[in-house]
Amino acid sequence: MRRIAAFIFVACVTASGCSSYGSEYDAVAYYLRGGSAARSSVIQTCIERRVSEKSRKEAAAALKVSEDRVGVVACNRIISGIASGRITREDYIALYGEQKITPNMENVLLAR
């Protein structure tokens, strides 16, 4: 799971404008809970971000999806996890502040 941390960091951070981890989580979570249009917009922006081929391959292997679908799958799971509250503030800070994937984040990413 550590292999996909870089992919997720690039994809989601640039989508949501994350910079001050705790307060940004609160703002993003609030925005995403506003409805499906907000969620769709953030997911689409996340998907459109470019990542290295190496990161994409590693993430695809970890998530067990094709390289073509890795952005869609990772972004949908992360954004939906934040919106639903399954990804906590602590998970978010660990990922973006420390570039670590918590067990909870791993469960969300692997759709468990």
Side-chain angles (χ1 to χ4, degrees):
M1 289 309 295
R2 289 181 186 200
R3 292 179 172 184
I4 63 172
F7 171 83
I8 295 165
F9 182 78
V10 170
C12 190
V13 169
T14 54
S16 59
C18 313
S19 60
S20 172
Y21 313 114
S23 61
E24 287 296 328
Y25 171 84
D26 296 337
V28 170
Y30 179 80
Y31 177 74
L32 290 174
R33 290 184 184 124
S36 61
R39 192 173 316 164
S40 295
S41 173
V42 174
I43 289 171
Q44 187 58 41
T45 302
C46 177
I47 291 168
E48 291 170 358
R49 299 299 174 199
R50 302 216 182 258
V51 296
S52 73
E53 185 176 336
K54 180 181 177 185
S55 292
R56 185 173 298 282
K57 285 182 180 187
E58 290 173 348
L63 296 175
K64 298 178 181 162
V65 298
S66 70
E67 287 181 46
D68 293 340
R69 301 243 338 123
V70 72
V72 173
V73 171
C75 290
N76 272 297
R77 290 178 184 172
I78 290 170
I79 302 305
S80 295
I82 292 171
S84 70
R86 283 194 66 207
I87 293 177
T88 67
R89 194 173 202 260
E90 290 75 23
D91 298 324
Y92 189 88
I93 292 169
L95 181 64
Y96 298 115
E98 304 165 21
Q99 294 187 2
K100 293 181 181 176
I101 295 178
T102 63
N104 186 50
M105 179 71 78
E106 181 176 345
N107 287 337
V108 170
L109 287 168
L110 296 177
R112 294 187 196 150

